[in-house]
Amino acid sequence: MSSEKKERHNQGYRGKILKLLSEKRVSIGDHINVRTKDDEFTGILIPRYESTDENYLVIKLKSGYNIGIELHKIQDILKVIQRPIQTELVIPTTKTVSRKYDDILQPTTKNEDKYLDKDLLPKVALISTGGTIASKIDYRTGGVHAALSAGELYASVPELANYTSIDPDVLLNEYSENLNPDHWTLIANRVAEKVKSGNYRGIIVSHGTDTLHYTAAALSFALQNLPIPVILVGAQRSSDRPSSDASMNLIGAAIFAIKSEFSGVFVTMHANYSDDIIACHIGTRVRKNHTSRRDAFKSIDVKPIAIIKGDTLEMQMQQSHINLQKRNNNGSNSFIVKSSFDRKVILLKYYPGFDPELIDHAIISGYKAIIIEGTGLGHISRECFSKIQQAIESNKLVFMTSQCIWGRIGMTVYNTGRDLLNIGVIPLSNMITETAIVKAMWALANSKDTTSAMKIMQENIANETSTVISI
Amino acid sequence: MSSEKKERHNQGYRGKILKLLSEKRVSIGDHINVRTKDDEFTGILIPRYESTDENYLVIKLKSGYNIGIELHKIQDILKVIQRPIQTELVIPTTKTVSRKYDDILQPTTKNEDKYLDKDLLPKVALISTGGTIASKIDYRTGGVHAALSAGELYASVPELANYTSIDPDVLLNEYSENLNPDHWTLIANRVAEKVKSGNYRGIIVSHGTDTLHYTAAALSFALQNLPIPVILVGAQRSSDRPSSDASMNLIGAAIFAIKSEFSGVFVTMHANYSDDIIACHIGTRVRKNHTSRRDAFKSIDVKPIAIIKGDTLEMQMQQSHINLQKRNNNGSNSFIVKSSFDRKVILLKYYPGFDPELIDHAIISGYKAIIIEGTGLGHISRECFSKIQQAIESNKLVFMTSQCIWGRIGMTVYNTGRDLLNIGVIPLSNMITETAIVKAMWALANSKDTTSAMKIMQENIANETSTVISI
């Protein structure tokens, strides 16, 4: 359709500017030179998302920054190159300049000059599953597309070559909202293969951020007694934007993969709004708490276990709260893979006006477990009690988490809680709802009956409950 | 049943201690005197919740603090009074000592001695709906019960008499997990009555904390152009516990009711873990973010609009983010009450493995609106697209909020979002999910058709979306 086509070419531009662009035969994505009374700017014409003032033209400069130029100041526009920026990504030749393995594990000596062969660097596998970290802006549509391969990603972060020799592997190319429990199985099995190979000091999984924490929980249960660390990493801004967090997050993941003395499943992302600290979270205790900030991921009820500044790894963990296993590079004897998940788990987030009949629906639809995201310490209206009782009598497991997000379920404090306990609702301590859903799917798939699944849900397997709450 | 009875009488006690208690005919709730080699303690025998060490007996001293006494130190136990503490609550005689209205609105002069008649104090209505703020521990069961009347509550916080003359009114006596949209209507109408009477400088609604923020949102939509402030207040610890926040929160609510220059619906609760600052939140922008902490309530994407220290009210608000109306004590001409809510709203929180068939269920069950609590910027798996399309074709309103809690929906950034926009999903900016549910129920009940309800959902009525995000 021509109107759609027009929108693509000059999205967000209207009125006189649109007319000028047409006259100059310039479209979004074109490399243009704009001359004003005082200055001259060269860059790519980009779309306008929020067209509050139509008398501006916006170009992305080579530095990556955007500049808005007022119409009345424009003297001329020239199209200089036809290609959009995304085709200009250059994959640098592999750096042969790199430091020796042992140096990396020691504090860096600045005057160090003895560079050695890349083969001596610790090897890390990078499994790419898609998401923003592996994507770039399409300046024609203004949107972000999954596009970079793991290899390209590595190439776009050449600093990695200083620390590690990365083995890239493209497993999936999906934004994470499209990943489901079958993908968790796929990812877990691919990680397991690489762990068993004994070739790697750590495994990095790059992943879309939307459900990164769900996958982190899934791998935490699926991969037990890991001999090495497995680190999930994502980005909130695509790799080709100047504000991208992809590069630092990935370097943080690599530093942790190489230096951590602990094994297990972790998530490395920006720790705060500044661009110099990476936080490392436990796979079952992390949540995406902001739609767009680079420091969207937060540890819940515990501190991040480590902070990475530059190439320095500082453990933050209070050991008493958390059980971590020591890294054991040489052995994967006790490593266990249980990578099945049973989708028959339903989440019901309670709210005033919630229709108890939804619980009926869960019963007749063949769900095996119901996670109630209740209010406060683990409550739900007494209007729902009889339906919950029916669910339990129908051999459904009914678990309680809290929509408060922080804090522990406490169902002995109020009548509501005690009544629900009497009916047979199982409180899940301070397990995050998202982790509880994943664990229930895993427990059902990896136990002979609902009774043993119920027992598994109450055991602390991968720090999904913490003994002490610290903030 | 005798075992249950036994448990009630000596809950948590085992072994030798239990034997000793039986010998001395002492039960939980009894006032006892315990003599040790060095000391003597008098207090109430309370249950043991976490019986890590069975050789302790725990009594609550008159000061309110608990003390554990080791078995081997106990020389004798005497039962001194049969009555449990809850019957001992004394309602103090009304203080006639109180300060003048104008003094209260000015910074306090410490040497002030000119006390005036109570009738000169600003009048505030206190509508009690139940919850922890109006409850006390039952030392027989160890649980908390809704019990105090608004009058008793006022009596248990005698400091209030220094600031205001409170008109107590018991409307409900429910823990808030049992409140539903019909209760919102009831509360809104009662508040409206009192507002219209013109007798009050402000209205306080005491409320259970579990769904306090839902009710705050409900009142924010139901009561428009309020001439005076309406403040919801709760407590995380019951009023008769030494750690109770009831008293300070209530005083904070009263200070805000009297001193605020703005009208509207607000929530006052502890601002942090210390016991000296109260935060005042906008009714549509607040969430219970911890199961048990006294500072569980947090403003989302904005700062609390005010901080109360002692009797000083400090406005914190950045006016540009938020639209507040000035107080207008003298007129309720433009005051509008729209207190109906339509329950036919379903919340679907998305998670990997979410069965799209749940959307089918929402369609056939006659819901008029579906709130999807999606991932990240407002996403849901493409597995759900066709069902969402069906819902929209069936004249259902489908709205998108984010389970991230903080940050704004942004559905033009990725393909997933753009596809959902094309299908007809309506993004709700940075409206909190809990507020979105309430608003949808209100919009449906107060518009002639779904089209106008949809329009209402996209208007900013009570700061449910903020123009700028600040943290």
Side-chain angles (χ1 to χ4, degrees):
Chain A
M1 290 187 298
S2 73
S3 72
E4 195 193 327
K5 208 170 173 185
K6 191 172 170 188
E7 202 189 316
R8 274 207 182 169
H9 277 96
N10 291 300
Q11 197 192 334
Y13 288 101
R14 291 173 300 167
K16 288 179 188 167
I17 286 261
L18 183 63
K19 206 172 153 217
L20 177 64
L21 294 175
S22 302
E23 281 169 19
K24 298 290 177 181
R25 298 175 174 266
V26 163
S27 312
I28 284 165
D30 282 345
H31 219 130
I32 58 172
N33 176 283
V34 182
R35 203 150 46 79
T36 68
K37 271 172 258 179
D38 312 308
D39 294 296
E40 208 178 305
F41 302 97
T42 301
I44 290 146
L45 181 68
I46 63 171
R48 301 211 59 194
Y49 302 115
E50 293 165 36
S51 28
T52 40
D53 184 339
E54 64 183 47
N55 293 315
Y56 276 86
L57 167 157
V58 184
I59 62 173
K60 182 175 281 291
L61 304 177
K62 267 195 178 165
S63 64
Y65 288 97
N66 298 344
I67 186 166
I69 307 165
E70 275 180 274
L71 177 65
H72 74 90
K73 289 193 179 160
I74 297 174
Q75 294 190 330
D76 201 11
I77 299 179
L78 270 176
K79 182 149 70 165
V80 287
I81 298 179
Q82 296 286 349
R83 290 178 304 166
I85 199 169
Q86 70 188 63
T87 62
E88 299 184 309
L89 265 174
V90 177
I91 301 177
T93 52
T94 310
K95 283 196 174 185
T96 49
V97 181
S98 51
R99 258 181 280 118
K100 200 177 129 192
Y101 187 118
D102 283 348
D103 295 344
I104 290 155
L105 300 182
Q106 303 301 323
T108 317
T109 317
K110 288 289 175 202
N111 298 332
E112 198 83 59
D113 238 334
K114 38 165 185 167
Y115 293 117
L116 283 178
D117 194 283
K118 186 167 175 276
D119 292 343
L120 287 177
L121 284 172
K123 273 180 91 172
V124 168
L126 170 58
I127 300 171
S128 177
T129 69
T132 304
I133 191 166
S135 68
K136 47 191 172 184
I137 294 179
D138 178 343
Y139 290 99
R140 294 219 172 269
T141 66
V144 181
H145 293 275
L148 292 173
S149 69
E152 284 175 299
L153 186 62
Y154 179 33
S156 72
V157 189
E159 302 93 317
L160 280 175
N162 295 329
Y163 304 109
T164 169
S165 161
I166 288 218
D167 247 2
D169 179 6
V170 179
L171 176 63
L172 293 165
N173 191 11
E174 278 287 359
Y175 281 113
S176 69
E177 61 269 27
N178 293 320
L179 300 185
N180 63 45
D182 293 341
H183 294 108
W184 298 340
T185 304
L186 201 67
I187 299 169
N189 290 346
R190 184 65 66 91
V191 172
E193 261 175 47
K194 297 197 187 282
V195 169
K196 286 176 183 163
S197 76
N199 291 337
Y200 303 104
R201 191 154 169 88
I203 316 277
I204 299 174
V205 178
S206 69
H207 197 288
T209 56
D210 271 31
T211 68
L212 187 148
H213 45 311
Y214 292 92
T215 301
L219 298 185
S220 302
F221 298 116
L223 306 171
Q224 290 180 20
N225 303 325
L226 272 165
I228 56 173
V230 173
I231 303 110
L232 286 104
V233 66
Q236 292 277 85
R237 313 283 162 81
S238 60
S239 302
D240 61 343
R241 288 173 70 181
S243 65
S244 176
D245 48 340
S247 160
M248 248 193 75
N249 292 347
L250 194 58
I251 292 170
I255 301 283
F256 192 84
I258 298 163
K259 295 192 174 182
S260 168
E261 53 176 318
F262 296 101
S263 59
V265 176
F266 306 95
V267 171
T268 55
M269 294 289 289
H270 268 55
N272 50 35
Y273 209 67
S274 78
D275 215 27
D276 55 358
I277 303 175
I278 294 293
C280 185
H281 310 275
I282 287 171
T284 54
R285 300 225 56 84
V286 62
R287 200 175 180 284
K288 183 174 182 177
N289 275 359
H290 200 283
T291 62
S292 60
R293 279 175 66 132
R294 296 183 296 180
D295 60 342
F297 283 79
K298 298 291 178 201
S299 281
I300 304 296
D301 284 347
V302 296
K303 289 179 185 160
I305 71 149
I307 290 293
I308 298 150
K309 292 178 189 168
D311 57 5
T312 308
L313 175 71
E314 277 174 29
M315 294 304 291
Q316 299 280 311
M317 179 190 49
Q318 290 158 283
Q319 277 279 14
S320 60
H321 302 190
I322 291 292
N323 300 310
L324 288 184
Q325 288 187 308
K326 285 271 179 186
R327 174 199 281 276
N328 175 13
N329 292 316
N330 304 319
S332 60
N333 290 346
S334 60
F335 177 48
I336 300 168
V337 184
K338 290 183 177 178
S339 58
S340 307
F341 295 88
D342 185 335
R343 280 195 184 203
K344 280 299 183 189
V345 174
I346 190 168
L347 168 69
L348 300 179
K349 177 170 172 177
Y350 178 74
Y351 53 94
F354 175 94
D355 191 341
E357 177 266 352
L358 248 177
I359 300 167
D360 262 347
H361 172 75
I363 299 172
I364 59 173
S365 302
Y367 288 99
K368 297 175 189 164
I370 300 171
I371 313 274
I372 299 174
E373 192 173 63
T375 60
L377 291 162
H379 301 142
I380 185 168
S381 163
R382 77 167 83 87
E383 291 178 351
C384 301
F385 285 11
S386 66
K387 297 290 183 192
I388 292 174
Q389 187 146 24
Q390 280 173 36
I392 289 166
E393 283 165 2
S394 315
N395 201 30
K396 313 297 181 195
L397 296 174
V398 181
F399 300 104
M400 181 66 76
T401 63
S402 176
Q403 58 190 255
C404 291
I405 299 176
W406 284 269
R408 201 181 297 281
I409 290 292
M411 293 174 68
T412 57
V413 183
Y414 295 96
N415 281 339
T416 305
R418 284 194 299 271
D419 290 346
L420 288 167
L421 286 178
N422 286 336
I423 292 171
V425 172
I426 301 151
L428 292 183
S429 187
N430 72 333
M431 206 184 302
I432 306 166
T433 302
E434 290 75 7
T435 299
I437 298 165
V438 174
K439 188 179 179 187
M441 290 183 179
W442 178 80
L444 287 170
N446 294 282
S447 52
K448 57 183 193 303
D449 53 31
T450 48
T451 312
S452 35
M454 186 177 73
K455 275 189 192 157
I456 290 171
M457 286 301 283
Q458 290 170 290
E459 284 166 22
N460 189 8
I461 292 171
N463 293 304
E464 65 273 22
T465 60
S466 66
T467 51
V468 178
I469 291 178
S470 72
I471 296 174
Chain B
M1 290 189 296
S2 72
S3 71
E4 197 193 324
K5 208 171 173 184
K6 190 172 169 186
E7 203 189 315
R8 274 209 181 168
H9 277 96
N10 291 298
Q11 196 192 337
Y13 289 101
R14 292 173 297 166
K16 288 179 188 166
I17 287 260
L18 183 62
K19 209 172 152 216
L20 178 66
L21 294 175
S22 302
E23 281 169 18
K24 299 291 178 183
R25 297 175 175 267
V26 162
S27 311
I28 285 165
D30 283 345
H31 219 129
I32 58 173
N33 176 282
V34 182
R35 202 152 44 79
T36 68
K37 268 172 263 182
D38 312 309
D39 294 297
E40 209 178 303
F41 301 98
T42 302
I44 290 145
L45 181 67
I46 64 171
R48 301 212 57 194
Y49 302 114
E50 293 166 35
S51 30
T52 40
D53 184 338
E54 66 184 46
N55 294 314
Y56 275 86
L57 170 155
V58 184
I59 62 172
K60 181 175 282 290
L61 303 178
K62 267 192 177 167
S63 64
Y65 288 98
N66 299 344
I67 185 165
I69 306 166
E70 275 180 272
L71 176 64
H72 73 91
K73 289 192 179 161
I74 298 174
Q75 292 188 333
D76 201 12
I77 300 179
L78 271 174
K79 184 150 67 168
V80 288
I81 298 179
Q82 297 286 350
R83 290 180 304 165
I85 199 169
Q86 68 189 64
T87 63
E88 298 182 312
L89 267 173
V90 177
I91 301 178
T93 53
T94 310
K95 284 196 175 187
T96 49
V97 180
S98 50
R99 257 181 280 120
K100 200 177 127 191
Y101 188 118
D102 282 349
D103 295 343
I104 290 155
L105 300 181
Q106 302 304 322
T108 317
T109 318
K110 287 290 174 201
N111 298 332
E112 196 83 61
D113 236 337
K114 35 163 188 166
Y115 293 117
L116 284 177
D117 195 283
K118 189 168 175 276
D119 292 342
L120 287 176
L121 284 172
K123 273 181 91 172
V124 168
L126 170 59
I127 300 171
S128 178
T129 70
T132 303
I133 191 165
S135 67
K136 45 192 173 185
I137 293 179
D138 178 344
Y139 290 101
R140 295 217 172 270
T141 65
V144 181
H145 294 275
L148 292 174
S149 69
E152 284 175 299
L153 186 63
Y154 179 33
S156 72
V157 189
E159 301 94 318
L160 280 174
N162 295 328
Y163 305 108
T164 168
S165 160
I166 289 219
D167 245 2
D169 179 5
V170 179
L171 176 63
L172 294 165
N173 190 12
E174 278 288 359
Y175 281 115
S176 68
E177 60 270 26
N178 293 321
L179 300 185
N180 63 45
D182 293 341
H183 293 107
W184 299 340
T185 303
L186 201 67
I187 298 169
N189 290 345
R190 184 65 65 93
V191 172
E193 262 175 47
K194 296 194 189 283
V195 169
K196 287 175 184 165
S197 77
N199 291 335
Y200 303 103
R201 190 154 169 88
I203 317 279
I204 300 175
V205 178
S206 70
H207 198 287
T209 56
D210 270 32
T211 67
L212 187 148
H213 44 311
Y214 291 92
T215 302
L219 298 184
S220 303
F221 297 116
L223 306 171
Q224 290 179 19
N225 303 326
L226 273 164
I228 55 173
V230 173
I231 303 111
L232 286 104
V233 66
Q236 292 277 83
R237 314 284 162 79
S238 60
S239 302
D240 62 342
R241 289 173 68 180
S243 65
S244 176
D245 47 340
S247 161
M248 248 194 74
N249 292 346
L250 195 58
I251 292 171
I255 300 283
F256 191 84
I258 298 164
K259 296 194 174 181
S260 168
E261 53 177 316
F262 295 101
S263 60
V265 177
F266 306 95
V267 171
T268 54
M269 294 288 289
H270 267 57
N272 50 35
Y273 208 66
S274 79
D275 216 26
D276 55 358
I277 303 175
I278 295 293
C280 185
H281 310 275
I282 287 171
T284 53
R285 300 225 55 86
V286 62
R287 200 176 179 283
K288 184 174 181 179
N289 275 358
H290 199 283
T291 62
S292 60
R293 279 175 66 134
R294 295 183 296 179
D295 59 341
F297 282 78
K298 298 292 177 200
S299 280
I300 304 296
D301 284 348
V302 297
K303 289 180 185 160
I305 70 147
I307 291 293
I308 298 151
K309 293 178 188 169
D311 58 6
T312 307
L313 175 71
E314 278 175 25
M315 294 305 290
Q316 299 280 308
M317 179 191 48
Q318 290 159 280
Q319 278 279 16
S320 60
H321 302 189
I322 292 292
N323 300 310
L324 287 185
Q325 288 187 308
K326 286 268 181 191
R327 174 199 283 274
N328 175 14
N329 293 316
N330 304 319
S332 59
N333 290 348
S334 59
F335 177 46
I336 300 167
V337 183
K338 291 183 176 176
S339 58
S340 308
F341 295 88
D342 184 336
R343 280 196 185 203
K344 280 300 185 189
V345 174
I346 189 169
L347 167 70
L348 300 178
K349 176 170 171 177
Y350 177 74
Y351 53 94
F354 175 95
D355 190 341
E357 176 267 351
L358 248 176
I359 300 166
D360 262 347
H361 172 75
I363 298 172
I364 59 173
S365 301
Y367 287 99
K368 296 174 190 164
I370 301 172
I371 313 273
I372 298 174
E373 192 174 61
T375 61
L377 290 163
H379 301 140
I380 186 168
S381 163
R382 77 168 83 86
E383 291 177 353
C384 301
F385 285 9
S386 65
K387 298 289 182 192
I388 292 174
Q389 188 146 24
Q390 280 172 36
I392 290 165
E393 284 164 3
S394 314
N395 200 30
K396 312 297 179 194
L397 296 175
V398 181
F399 300 104
M400 181 65 76
T401 64
S402 177
Q403 58 189 257
C404 291
I405 299 175
W406 284 270
R408 202 180 297 282
I409 290 292
M411 292 175 69
T412 56
V413 183
Y414 295 98
N415 280 339
T416 304
R418 285 193 299 270
D419 290 346
L420 288 167
L421 286 178
N422 285 336
I423 293 171
V425 172
I426 301 151
L428 292 183
S429 187
N430 72 333
M431 207 184 301
I432 306 167
T433 301
E434 290 76 8
T435 299
I437 298 165
V438 174
K439 188 179 179 187
M441 290 183 181
W442 177 81
L444 286 170
N446 294 284
S447 52
K448 57 183 194 303
D449 52 30
T450 49
T451 312
S452 35
M454 185 176 74
K455 274 188 192 159
I456 291 172
M457 286 301 283
Q458 290 170 290
E459 284 165 23
N460 190 9
I461 291 170
N463 293 304
E464 66 274 21
T465 60
S466 66
T467 50
V468 178
I469 291 179
S470 72
I471 297 175

